[in-house]
Amino acid sequence: MSALRIVVCVKQVPDTWSEKRLDPLDQTLDRAAADGVIDELDTYAVEEALRIEEANEGSTVVVLTMGPAGAADTVRKALSMGADEAVHVVDDALHGSDALATSLVLAKAIERTGFDLVVLGSESTDARMGVVPAMLAERLGVPQATLASKVEVDASTSPATVKIHRQTDVGQVVVSAQLPAVISVLEKINEPRYPSFKGIMAAKTKPTATWALTDLDIDASSVGLAASATVVVDAVARPPRGEHTIIKDEGDGGSRIADFLVSRKLL
Amino acid sequence: MADVLVLVEHVDGVVGKPTLELLTLATRIGSPVAIVVGDGTGLAEKLGEYGATAVLSADDDALTSSVVAPVVSLIESLVASRSPAAVLIASTTEGKEIAGRLAVRLDAGVLTDAVDVALDGDTVVVEQSVFGGSTVVHAKATRGVPIVTVRPNSVTPVASPAAADVSAVTFPAADGRHAVVESRSATAAGGRPGLSEASVVVAGGRGVGTAEKFALIEELADALSAAVGASRAATDAGWYPHAAQVGQTGVTVAPQLYIACGISGAIQHRAGMQTSKTIVAINKDAEAPIFELADFGVVGDLHVVVPQLIAEIAKRKS
Ligand SMILES: Cc1cc2nc3c(=O)[nH]c(=O)nc-3n(C[C@H](O)[C@H](O)[C@H](O)COP(=O)(O)OP(=O)(O)OC[C@H]3O[C@@H](n4cnc5c(N)ncnc54)[C@H](O)[C@@H]3O)c2cc1C
Ligand SMILES: Nc1ncnc2c1ncn2[C@@H]1O[C@H](COP(=O)(O)O)[C@@H](O)[C@H]1O
């Protein structure tokens, strides 16, 4: 049985109930316009990391986030759930980073803190790109066992192994890999725990490293808006939907829908 | 005209509809070249019909025996040899992973979930629908070959016959350590189309009432050859599998027709369906926010309205 060092990547996102909009000046997400919260999908990643830790004595869970100073709340939330330590990468130069830059920064931070297993959410609820986990596996040069609806780690062997049920649009495959590896988890893989009062108190004193780009030997010119490999040319609010008809069912509701579908050539 | 590489999706010898959509977009910006993982011979006719000028067939089990990485190596080598104007991949979860890794290898811009692709001079510009469809964005890559994933149902496939020659391609073995596929289980789709690529989606929410009553939603779906979706309230209640959840934390769909039955239309649900071309809602509460989106809405009991609709569809089809 070997102890594992598990890094779980969590992202701060605008609260899901708030309207999201682009900053008119630089077409990046206007993060100031919305309250930030831990991405709900990443709480499944934290929970899965904690379960793997609990099943493998002596293991450690490190929370990693890249984001503005306010993302410290997100780190604390993960610590209060039970993670042991945290790394927060903050640097003004990071503003406007795209997925390529984000994965670069996360990979450097993961290498610096050390890892056997990296756990991520499968997709962030704001960017919805679903690319960072695969990009991290590429950058770290380790196996990619992503989109997991079930995870089993066997640390009794050397090297330790992970087996997952990988759920894609076309079906399910069982995938196995040797550690170190990157995994990403789907929503509903588990039931994330609520932080206990004790956990909330303990979170305040857990070690949290705050790293800037210089700590990671990353040149400021390789991240941020200016280094982005994509650029938004223009952005407009979607025009409201055209005419619509709402009727009350007078016993002919189903038939009226059929009429409508015929009129739209959908039937 | 420059090549546009299109990664083909195929199951049981049939080219997927999202691939025909990719080819249709590719013909607008260059000369479509289809990449087939597997034997491309039997697919060439269909691919050519929709504009593929060449079919590159990479028939090697190594491509599918580990997760994503070997396909990335294949496309990487084809980008090097053919200098395409763009790489188009369907916006499935796996498609996006391939695109992401490829972008790292090539240090190139990746644009996910495009709904349209066009040329502005020599530059490939994509249209994306962000924040759950509330904002329309045009974006482009600023370095490298643009790697674009296109959301299914974004365009109607248009035939554009070309003579597609099939040639076998080899690719470099993916070095490094990879996750190995141990076994596969086919989708238990039961003959229904996949949720993200279906042209019609019929979705049920808390208003459906019980797991058993979802049979009604399935019956309507089958009458329209549709996929079945569900709100989170319905999947949380265990009435329908989580994989069917539509919304911010579920699948994003943009079908020709979306029928919401007993779904209130919470912001997180709308985020996954509001770019549907036509939306029909059935809800007994006239104030339900789903009606703000609906092209056609019926305020009524779905247990009455849906059976009548099913009967009407049968009548009009015969
Ligand atoms: C972080 C986060 C992420 C989320 N992600 C998602 C997501 O991905 N997808 C998602 O769907 N939700 C998501 N939700 C949940 C979302 O907020 C709503 O709670 C959920 O969509 C409600 O589902 P519903 O419309 O089925 O249920 P309800 O809101 O309870 O609505 C049921 C509707 O059915 C109607 N009704 C009842 N009986 C009948 C009848 N007999 N005939 C006709 N109409 C009837 C009612 O009038 C009501 O409008 C998320 C929430 C959070 C906080
Ligand atoms: N800035 C970030 N900091 C930490 N983790 C991140 C960040 N961005 C993305 N991730 C991780 O990558 C996953 C997928 O994000 P994305 O590819 O942006 O959809 C998320 O669920 C997180 O686990």
Side-chain angles (χ1 to χ4, degrees), chain A residues 15-17 39-41 125 128 187, chain B residues 204-209 230-236 239 242 245-251 258 261-272 282-290 298-304:
Chain A
D15 188 355
T16 141
W17 296 102
D39 195 326
E40 202 214 23
L41 289 185
T125 47
R128 300 220 61 162
E187 187 190 21
Chain B
R206 201 195 304 274
V208 174
S231 73
R232 175 144 133 184
T235 58
D236 274 355
W239 298 347
H242 179 64
Q245 183 173 310
V246 172
Q248 181 184 302
T249 50
V251 182
Y258 187 87
C261 309
I263 292 177
S264 61
I267 187 168
Q268 298 90 352
H269 186 79
R270 296 203 311 248
I282 305 164
N283 194 304
K284 67 179 184 191
D285 174 9
E287 304 296 317
I290 191 76
V298 174
V299 181
D301 184 349
L302 73 91
H303 302 290
V304 176

Side-chain angles (χ1 to χ4, degrees), chain A residues 8-12 39 41-42 45 64-67 99 102 106 119-133 136:
Chain A
V8 55
C9 297
V10 298
K11 184 178 185 183
Q12 170 143 314
D39 195 326
L41 289 185
D42 291 342
L64 168 61
T65 198
M66 170 188 127
T102 301
L106 293 177
V119 187
L120 299 100
S122 52
E123 182 178 86
S124 58
T125 47
D126 61 342
R128 300 220 61 162
M129 288 188 73
V131 295
V132 168
L136 265 185

Side-chain angles (χ1 to χ4, degrees), chain A residues 138 169 188 229 233 238 254 259, chain B residues 93 105 133 138 142 236 316:
Chain A
E138 177 71 32
D169 303 66
K188 299 296 157 69
V233 185
R238 172 177 293 278
D259 290 342
Chain B
T93 46
R105 293 254 182 113
H138 289 100
T142 50
D236 274 355
R316 289 166 204 234

Side-chain angles (χ1 to χ4, degrees), chain A residues 10-211:
Chain A
V10 298
K11 184 178 185 183
Q12 170 143 314
V13 296
D15 188 355
T16 141
W17 296 102
S18 55
E19 292 292 335
K20 286 165 217 147
R21 61 185 183 92
L22 291 177
D23 188 321
L25 288 178
D26 63 2
Q27 314 278 30
T28 59
L29 180 61
D30 188 351
R31 293 184 188 272
D35 288 339
V37 292
I38 185 170
D39 195 326
E40 202 214 23
L41 289 185
D42 291 342
T43 62
Y44 298 93
V46 175
E47 177 64 33
E48 202 59 30
L50 292 172
R51 290 185 185 189
I52 297 166
E53 174 185 42
E54 285 156 5
N56 295 282
E57 221 187 302
S59 299
T60 310
V61 172
V62 185
V63 186
L64 168 61
T65 198
M66 170 188 127
D73 291 346
T74 285
V75 165
R76 209 168 307 117
K77 166 90 197 248
L79 288 174
S80 65
M81 286 173 73
D84 304 290
E85 34 181 291
V87 173
H88 182 177
V89 183
V90 203
D91 200 304
D92 288 344
L94 287 168
H95 173 77
S97 290
D98 62 359
L100 275 175
T102 301
S103 64
L104 173 72
V105 172
L106 293 177
K108 291 273 192 187
I110 290 164
E111 276 165 349
R112 174 157 177 199
T113 194
F115 73 105
D116 296 297
L117 191 63
V118 182
V119 187
L120 299 100
S122 52
E123 182 178 86
S124 58
T125 47
D126 61 342
R128 300 220 61 162
M129 288 188 73
V131 295
V132 168
M135 285 179 161
L136 265 185
E138 177 71 32
R139 291 202 187 272
L140 294 168
V142 301
Q144 171 192 337
T146 46
L147 304 172
S149 60
K150 185 175 174 197
V151 175
E152 284 167 3
V153 172
D154 183 355
S156 65
T157 57
S158 182
T161 57
V162 60
K163 184 182 278 198
I164 68 154
H165 287 194
R166 171 176 166 85
Q167 192 75 52
T168 66
D169 303 66
V170 290
Q172 196 187 75
V173 292
V174 177
V175 163
S176 68
Q178 289 182 351
L179 268 47
V182 169
I183 66 176
S184 76
V185 301
L186 298 171
E187 187 190 21
K188 299 296 157 69
I189 185 174
N190 54 40
E191 191 61 56
R193 66 195 69 184
Y194 286 104
S196 64
F197 180 69
K198 216 172 116 217
I200 293 168
M201 297 311 288
K204 295 183 177 149
T205 55
K206 286 179 177 169
T208 302
T210 307
W211 291 342

Side-chain angles (χ1 to χ4, degrees), chain B residues 5 33-38 40 54-58 78 82 165-169:
Chain B
L5 296 178
V33 172
I35 307 172
V36 176
V37 172
V55 175
L56 308 178
S57 170
L78 293 173
R82 304 189 78 108
D165 285 337
V166 185
S167 51
V169 289

